[in-house]
Amino acid sequence: LKPLFVALQHLSPHLCLFPTLLSTYICLTMTGAGSVGVAVAAAATAGLAAGWFISQQQTEKPKLVLVAVSGTIEDGFELRKNINYPGGANATFIGWALCRGAKMFFDVKDVGSRERDDRVPHRVNPAMVLTGNASDANQYALYLVDERACLVALLGEPRYLSMAPDVLRIDIEDARTSPEVRQLAKAVAKNDGLDPTNLKQCAVMAVITTYKSQRFVPAPPVEVRDDGTQVTWFRGSLAKFANLQDGVAPSSQEWNKAVAEALGKADKELIESKAKGAVANGGHAPGTTDDSIYCSGSQHPLRLSRRWLPSEFNALAAAAEIGARAG
């Protein structure tokens, strides 16, 4: 009956008595009507077992995933809590991971954009642009995250940002990749039946940008290597952008003030540059891109990117007079 019980878990919860009724029928058939007491006892046992099996299937614990992030959801910044899941697992920092082919920019929000909040003028997110150039490298923070938190975080991501499961590779032998990340990658390889001896790279789900906006300004590298590699790192690059000295703590009053001033200056330069018909900071040539066609500026549209309870969606569907209903 196991295949039947597995199928039942996908049906309405009101069918939970079906295993007991089916078991009663089977037992009555096998024992005859004169052994109703035995049949009922056997049916009750079978029904309880079926209910336990179905409940086990329905209460499977959410799994955890590894995500490479850059920005204010890293340790030490104000939005770190955003990658925890309420009532679930808190995100766990594993270590640092150097990934190549991604160049960091800071997204300077324009007036009226959904995410601009002048009460927190220091808040800025990095945008990792995929360049196809191995000399562009970024030091990501690798976290172990409740899989449900990924969707919640994704729905609240800054404009243009997304999560890609395998576009970026961790250079596990790089000096900026933590030993813990290196050892974990090799353990996963060994568990998958692969030889970890010569493992040099591995794929990871990472936050990247889907588009290069004209409001992006390049983040200064924290390291320039002899081979031409330029390494960015959110905390270090933002400190250089704001001309902060070593030792100033993120989210401190001094940090926030300096970052806010640097962003204000960049915003002014972007506005002046646009007025002159040019694109600042080595961006696209005038007229080749149009940020306004995306959900980005002051004319941002209604967002359907949200979470609903089944009852909430069904109420909306009824109001909209459409047939779709949440199960």
Side-chain angles (χ1 to χ4, degrees), residues 218-243:
V222 294
E223 179 187 358
V224 178
R225 299 179 179 176
D226 292 341
D227 64 358
T229 297
Q230 297 191 39
V231 181
T232 51
W233 167 47
F234 179 68
R235 176 174 173 173
S237 293
L238 187 55
K240 290 188 70 174
F241 176 74
N243 294 313

PDB file of all heavy atoms in Angstrom, residues 218-243:
ATOM      1  N   PRO A 218      31.708  52.046 -10.839  1.00  0.00           N
ATOM      2  CA  PRO A 218      32.646  50.968 -10.526  1.00  0.00           C
ATOM      3  C   PRO A 218      33.104  51.006  -9.076  1.00  0.00           C
ATOM      4  O   PRO A 218      33.362  52.072  -8.515  1.00  0.00           O
ATOM      5  CB  PRO A 218      33.823  51.234 -11.471  1.00  0.00           C
ATOM      6  CG  PRO A 218      33.264  52.093 -12.551  1.00  0.00           C
ATOM      7  CD  PRO A 218      32.200  52.927 -11.915  1.00  0.00           C
ATOM      8  N   ALA A 219      33.179  49.831  -8.472  1.00  0.00           N
ATOM      9  CA  ALA A 219      33.718  49.711  -7.124  1.00  0.00           C
ATOM     10  C   ALA A 219      35.239  49.603  -7.223  1.00  0.00           C
ATOM     11  O   ALA A 219      35.753  48.833  -8.043  1.00  0.00           O
ATOM     12  CB  ALA A 219      33.150  48.480  -6.437  1.00  0.00           C
ATOM     13  N   PRO A 220      35.981  50.361  -6.427  1.00  0.00           N
ATOM     14  CA  PRO A 220      37.450  50.281  -6.503  1.00  0.00           C
ATOM     15  C   PRO A 220      37.949  48.921  -6.020  1.00  0.00           C
ATOM     16  O   PRO A 220      37.424  48.380  -5.047  1.00  0.00           O
ATOM     17  CB  PRO A 220      37.916  51.410  -5.578  1.00  0.00           C
ATOM     18  CG  PRO A 220      36.765  51.667  -4.670  1.00  0.00           C
ATOM     19  CD  PRO A 220      35.526  51.363  -5.453  1.00  0.00           C
ATOM     20  N   PRO A 221      38.932  48.352  -6.690  1.00  0.00           N
ATOM     21  CA  PRO A 221      39.473  47.053  -6.250  1.00  0.00           C
ATOM     22  C   PRO A 221      40.249  47.195  -4.955  1.00  0.00           C
ATOM     23  O   PRO A 221      40.836  48.249  -4.682  1.00  0.00           O
ATOM     24  CB  PRO A 221      40.375  46.643  -7.408  1.00  0.00           C
ATOM     25  CG  PRO A 221      40.776  47.928  -8.053  1.00  0.00           C
ATOM     26  CD  PRO A 221      39.597  48.845  -7.909  1.00  0.00           C
ATOM     27  N   VAL A 222      40.253  46.136  -4.177  1.00  0.00           N
ATOM     28  CA  VAL A 222      41.047  46.126  -2.946  1.00  0.00           C
ATOM     29  C   VAL A 222      42.419  45.518  -3.198  1.00  0.00           C
ATOM     30  O   VAL A 222      43.316  45.619  -2.364  1.00  0.00           O
ATOM     31  CB  VAL A 222      40.333  45.337  -1.831  1.00  0.00           C
ATOM     32  CG1 VAL A 222      39.046  46.042  -1.415  1.00  0.00           C
ATOM     33  CG2 VAL A 222      40.035  43.898  -2.263  1.00  0.00           C
ATOM     34  N   GLU A 223      42.562  44.881  -4.370  1.00  0.00           N
ATOM     35  CA  GLU A 223      43.847  44.269  -4.723  1.00  0.00           C
ATOM     36  C   GLU A 223      43.989  44.252  -6.240  1.00  0.00           C
ATOM     37  O   GLU A 223      43.057  43.872  -6.952  1.00  0.00           O
ATOM     38  CB  GLU A 223      43.941  42.848  -4.172  1.00  0.00           C
ATOM     39  CG  GLU A 223      45.231  42.135  -4.505  1.00  0.00           C
ATOM     40  CD  GLU A 223      45.246  40.668  -4.104  1.00  0.00           C
ATOM     41  OE1 GLU A 223      44.244  40.185  -3.517  1.00  0.00           O
ATOM     42  OE2 GLU A 223      46.257  39.989  -4.395  1.00  0.00           O
ATOM     43  N   VAL A 224      45.155  44.653  -6.723  1.00  0.00           N
ATOM     44  CA  VAL A 224      45.491  44.546  -8.144  1.00  0.00           C
ATOM     45  C   VAL A 224      46.750  43.692  -8.233  1.00  0.00           C
ATOM     46  O   VAL A 224      47.796  44.048  -7.690  1.00  0.00           O
ATOM     47  CB  VAL A 224      45.738  45.923  -8.783  1.00  0.00           C
ATOM     48  CG1 VAL A 224      46.124  45.765 -10.253  1.00  0.00           C
ATOM     49  CG2 VAL A 224      44.494  46.804  -8.663  1.00  0.00           C
ATOM     50  N   ARG A 225      46.652  42.557  -8.918  1.00  0.00           N
ATOM     51  CA  ARG A 225      47.749  41.593  -8.964  1.00  0.00           C
ATOM     52  C   ARG A 225      48.631  41.805 -10.195  1.00  0.00           C
ATOM     53  O   ARG A 225      48.230  42.462 -11.152  1.00  0.00           O
ATOM     54  CB  ARG A 225      47.191  40.170  -8.935  1.00  0.00           C
ATOM     55  CG  ARG A 225      46.394  39.876  -7.674  1.00  0.00           C
ATOM     56  CD  ARG A 225      45.821  38.471  -7.665  1.00  0.00           C
ATOM     57  NE  ARG A 225      45.081  38.209  -6.435  1.00  0.00           N
ATOM     58  CZ  ARG A 225      44.402  37.082  -6.193  1.00  0.00           C
ATOM     59  NH1 ARG A 225      44.360  36.119  -7.121  1.00  0.00           N
ATOM     60  NH2 ARG A 225      43.765  36.931  -5.047  1.00  0.00           N
ATOM     61  N   ASP A 226      49.787  41.210 -10.139  1.00  0.00           N
ATOM     62  CA  ASP A 226      50.756  41.343 -11.240  1.00  0.00           C
ATOM     63  C   ASP A 226      50.203  40.812 -12.561  1.00  0.00           C
ATOM     64  O   ASP A 226      50.580  41.284 -13.636  1.00  0.00           O
ATOM     65  CB  ASP A 226      52.058  40.620 -10.889  1.00  0.00           C
ATOM     66  CG  ASP A 226      52.808  41.298  -9.740  1.00  0.00           C
ATOM     67  OD1 ASP A 226      52.526  42.480  -9.477  1.00  0.00           O
ATOM     68  OD2 ASP A 226      53.652  40.633  -9.109  1.00  0.00           O
ATOM     69  N   ASP A 227      49.318  39.816 -12.477  1.00  0.00           N
ATOM     70  CA  ASP A 227      48.769  39.242 -13.714  1.00  0.00           C
ATOM     71  C   ASP A 227      47.580  40.042 -14.246  1.00  0.00           C
ATOM     72  O   ASP A 227      46.939  39.650 -15.222  1.00  0.00           O
ATOM     73  CB  ASP A 227      48.349  37.784 -13.485  1.00  0.00           C
ATOM     74  CG  ASP A 227      47.213  37.639 -12.476  1.00  0.00           C
ATOM     75  OD1 ASP A 227      46.772  38.668 -11.912  1.00  0.00           O
ATOM     76  OD2 ASP A 227      46.769  36.497 -12.241  1.00  0.00           O
ATOM     77  N   GLY A 228      47.281  41.169 -13.603  1.00  0.00           N
ATOM     78  CA  GLY A 228      46.184  42.017 -14.064  1.00  0.00           C
ATOM     79  C   GLY A 228      44.869  41.788 -13.354  1.00  0.00           C
ATOM     80  O   GLY A 228      43.909  42.535 -13.569  1.00  0.00           O
ATOM     81  N   THR A 229      44.799  40.771 -12.493  1.00  0.00           N
ATOM     82  CA  THR A 229      43.567  40.494 -11.759  1.00  0.00           C
ATOM     83  C   THR A 229      43.238  41.647 -10.815  1.00  0.00           C
ATOM     84  O   THR A 229      44.094  42.109 -10.059  1.00  0.00           O
ATOM     85  CB  THR A 229      43.694  39.200 -10.942  1.00  0.00           C
ATOM     86  OG1 THR A 229      43.891  38.093 -11.832  1.00  0.00           O
ATOM     87  CG2 THR A 229      42.437  38.946 -10.118  1.00  0.00           C
ATOM     88  N   GLN A 230      41.991  42.110 -10.879  1.00  0.00           N
ATOM     89  CA  GLN A 230      41.507  43.149  -9.969  1.00  0.00           C
ATOM     90  C   GLN A 230      40.426  42.537  -9.084  1.00  0.00           C
ATOM     91  O   GLN A 230      39.397  42.075  -9.590  1.00  0.00           O
ATOM     92  CB  GLN A 230      40.965  44.344 -10.741  1.00  0.00           C
ATOM     93  CG  GLN A 230      42.026  45.038 -11.590  1.00  0.00           C
ATOM     94  CD  GLN A 230      41.546  46.375 -12.141  1.00  0.00           C
ATOM     95  OE1 GLN A 230      40.858  47.137 -11.463  1.00  0.00           O
ATOM     96  NE2 GLN A 230      41.895  46.655 -13.378  1.00  0.00           N
ATOM     97  N   VAL A 231      40.696  42.538  -7.782  1.00  0.00           N
ATOM     98  CA  VAL A 231      39.801  41.887  -6.830  1.00  0.00           C
ATOM     99  C   VAL A 231      38.974  42.932  -6.085  1.00  0.00           C
ATOM    100  O   VAL A 231      39.522  43.895  -5.527  1.00  0.00           O
ATOM    101  CB  VAL A 231      40.589  41.046  -5.806  1.00  0.00           C
ATOM    102  CG1 VAL A 231      39.623  40.353  -4.832  1.00  0.00           C
ATOM    103  CG2 VAL A 231      41.466  40.018  -6.506  1.00  0.00           C
ATOM    104  N   THR A 232      37.663  42.742  -6.096  1.00  0.00           N
ATOM    105  CA  THR A 232      36.783  43.575  -5.287  1.00  0.00           C
ATOM    106  C   THR A 232      36.263  42.761  -4.103  1.00  0.00           C
ATOM    107  O   THR A 232      36.216  41.530  -4.138  1.00  0.00           O
ATOM    108  CB  THR A 232      35.589  44.105  -6.099  1.00  0.00           C
ATOM    109  OG1 THR A 232      34.941  43.002  -6.780  1.00  0.00           O
ATOM    110  CG2 THR A 232      36.036  45.142  -7.112  1.00  0.00           C
ATOM    111  N   TRP A 233      35.885  43.476  -3.060  1.00  0.00           N
ATOM    112  CA  TRP A 233      35.319  42.874  -1.850  1.00  0.00           C
ATOM    113  C   TRP A 233      34.422  43.939  -1.243  1.00  0.00           C
ATOM    114  O   TRP A 233      34.865  45.066  -1.049  1.00  0.00           O
ATOM    115  CB  TRP A 233      36.440  42.453  -0.906  1.00  0.00           C
ATOM    116  CG  TRP A 233      36.015  42.097   0.485  1.00  0.00           C
ATOM    117  CD1 TRP A 233      34.986  41.284   0.838  1.00  0.00           C
ATOM    118  CD2 TRP A 233      36.613  42.546   1.712  1.00  0.00           C
ATOM    119  NE1 TRP A 233      34.891  41.193   2.203  1.00  0.00           N
ATOM    120  CE2 TRP A 233      35.883  41.956   2.760  1.00  0.00           C
ATOM    121  CE3 TRP A 233      37.687  43.387   2.015  1.00  0.00           C
ATOM    122  CZ2 TRP A 233      36.194  42.185   4.097  1.00  0.00           C
ATOM    123  CZ3 TRP A 233      38.000  43.599   3.347  1.00  0.00           C
ATOM    124  CH2 TRP A 233      37.265  43.008   4.377  1.00  0.00           C
ATOM    125  N   PHE A 234      33.170  43.631  -0.993  1.00  0.00           N
ATOM    126  CA  PHE A 234      32.198  44.663  -0.652  1.00  0.00           C
ATOM    127  C   PHE A 234      32.668  45.598   0.461  1.00  0.00           C
ATOM    128  O   PHE A 234      32.690  46.827   0.287  1.00  0.00           O
ATOM    129  CB  PHE A 234      30.851  44.042  -0.267  1.00  0.00           C
ATOM    130  CG  PHE A 234      29.821  45.074   0.106  1.00  0.00           C
ATOM    131  CD1 PHE A 234      29.308  45.946  -0.845  1.00  0.00           C
ATOM    132  CD2 PHE A 234      29.381  45.194   1.417  1.00  0.00           C
ATOM    133  CE1 PHE A 234      28.372  46.915  -0.504  1.00  0.00           C
ATOM    134  CE2 PHE A 234      28.447  46.164   1.766  1.00  0.00           C
ATOM    135  CZ  PHE A 234      27.936  47.018   0.803  1.00  0.00           C
ATOM    136  N   ARG A 235      33.032  45.040   1.582  1.00  0.00           N
ATOM    137  CA  ARG A 235      33.411  45.911   2.706  1.00  0.00           C
ATOM    138  C   ARG A 235      34.637  46.767   2.359  1.00  0.00           C
ATOM    139  O   ARG A 235      34.641  47.987   2.562  1.00  0.00           O
ATOM    140  CB  ARG A 235      33.700  45.069   3.949  1.00  0.00           C
ATOM    141  CG  ARG A 235      34.196  45.899   5.125  1.00  0.00           C
ATOM    142  CD  ARG A 235      34.330  45.075   6.381  1.00  0.00           C
ATOM    143  NE  ARG A 235      34.959  45.828   7.461  1.00  0.00           N
ATOM    144  CZ  ARG A 235      35.080  45.405   8.712  1.00  0.00           C
ATOM    145  NH1 ARG A 235      34.595  44.211   9.042  1.00  0.00           N
ATOM    146  NH2 ARG A 235      35.674  46.144   9.622  1.00  0.00           N
ATOM    147  N   GLY A 236      35.676  46.136   1.821  1.00  0.00           N
ATOM    148  CA  GLY A 236      36.898  46.856   1.500  1.00  0.00           C
ATOM    149  C   GLY A 236      36.723  47.845   0.361  1.00  0.00           C
ATOM    150  O   GLY A 236      37.248  48.961   0.403  1.00  0.00           O
ATOM    151  N   SER A 237      35.976  47.447  -0.664  1.00  0.00           N
ATOM    152  CA  SER A 237      35.765  48.332  -1.821  1.00  0.00           C
ATOM    153  C   SER A 237      34.896  49.525  -1.451  1.00  0.00           C
ATOM    154  O   SER A 237      35.136  50.655  -1.908  1.00  0.00           O
ATOM    155  CB  SER A 237      35.128  47.550  -2.968  1.00  0.00           C
ATOM    156  OG  SER A 237      36.023  46.574  -3.474  1.00  0.00           O
ATOM    157  N   LEU A 238      33.886  49.298  -0.608  1.00  0.00           N
ATOM    158  CA  LEU A 238      33.030  50.401  -0.184  1.00  0.00           C
ATOM    159  C   LEU A 238      33.805  51.380   0.701  1.00  0.00           C
ATOM    160  O   LEU A 238      33.618  52.596   0.617  1.00  0.00           O
ATOM    161  CB  LEU A 238      31.798  49.873   0.551  1.00  0.00           C
ATOM    162  CG  LEU A 238      30.722  50.900   0.917  1.00  0.00           C
ATOM    163  CD1 LEU A 238      30.255  51.666  -0.318  1.00  0.00           C
ATOM    164  CD2 LEU A 238      29.540  50.227   1.616  1.00  0.00           C
ATOM    165  N   ALA A 239      34.705  50.849   1.529  1.00  0.00           N
ATOM    166  CA  ALA A 239      35.538  51.717   2.367  1.00  0.00           C
ATOM    167  C   ALA A 239      36.435  52.604   1.500  1.00  0.00           C
ATOM    168  O   ALA A 239      36.584  53.803   1.764  1.00  0.00           O
ATOM    169  CB  ALA A 239      36.372  50.875   3.327  1.00  0.00           C
ATOM    170  N   LYS A 240      37.006  52.038   0.434  1.00  0.00           N
ATOM    171  CA  LYS A 240      37.850  52.833  -0.466  1.00  0.00           C
ATOM    172  C   LYS A 240      37.011  53.859  -1.222  1.00  0.00           C
ATOM    173  O   LYS A 240      37.437  55.000  -1.423  1.00  0.00           O
ATOM    174  CB  LYS A 240      38.580  51.920  -1.456  1.00  0.00           C
ATOM    175  CG  LYS A 240      39.662  51.054  -0.831  1.00  0.00           C
ATOM    176  CD  LYS A 240      40.481  50.311  -1.878  1.00  0.00           C
ATOM    177  CE  LYS A 240      41.361  51.268  -2.672  1.00  0.00           C
ATOM    178  NZ  LYS A 240      42.264  50.545  -3.590  1.00  0.00           N
ATOM    179  N   PHE A 241      35.829  53.460  -1.631  1.00  0.00           N
ATOM    180  CA  PHE A 241      34.912  54.361  -2.339  1.00  0.00           C
ATOM    181  C   PHE A 241      34.586  55.581  -1.478  1.00  0.00           C
ATOM    182  O   PHE A 241      34.456  56.699  -1.981  1.00  0.00           O
ATOM    183  CB  PHE A 241      33.643  53.585  -2.701  1.00  0.00           C
ATOM    184  CG  PHE A 241      32.566  54.385  -3.352  1.00  0.00           C
ATOM    185  CD1 PHE A 241      32.676  54.793  -4.670  1.00  0.00           C
ATOM    186  CD2 PHE A 241      31.406  54.722  -2.647  1.00  0.00           C
ATOM    187  CE1 PHE A 241      31.669  55.525  -5.287  1.00  0.00           C
ATOM    188  CE2 PHE A 241      30.394  55.448  -3.254  1.00  0.00           C
ATOM    189  CZ  PHE A 241      30.525  55.854  -4.568  1.00  0.00           C
ATOM    190  N   ALA A 242      34.456  55.362  -0.169  1.00  0.00           N
ATOM    191  CA  ALA A 242      34.092  56.431   0.754  1.00  0.00           C
ATOM    192  C   ALA A 242      35.307  57.068   1.425  1.00  0.00           C
ATOM    193  O   ALA A 242      35.133  57.889   2.325  1.00  0.00           O
ATOM    194  CB  ALA A 242      33.135  55.892   1.814  1.00  0.00           C
ATOM    195  N   ASN A 243      36.513  56.675   0.988  1.00  0.00           N
ATOM    196  CA  ASN A 243      37.761  57.222   1.559  1.00  0.00           C
ATOM    197  C   ASN A 243      37.854  57.011   3.069  1.00  0.00           C
ATOM    198  O   ASN A 243      38.271  57.897   3.817  1.00  0.00           O
ATOM    199  CB  ASN A 243      37.897  58.717   1.234  1.00  0.00           C
ATOM    200  CG  ASN A 243      38.072  58.968  -0.249  1.00  0.00           C
ATOM    201  OD1 ASN A 243      38.875  58.313  -0.918  1.00  0.00           O
ATOM    202  ND2 ASN A 243      37.305  59.911  -0.782  1.00  0.00           N
TER     203      ASN A 243
END
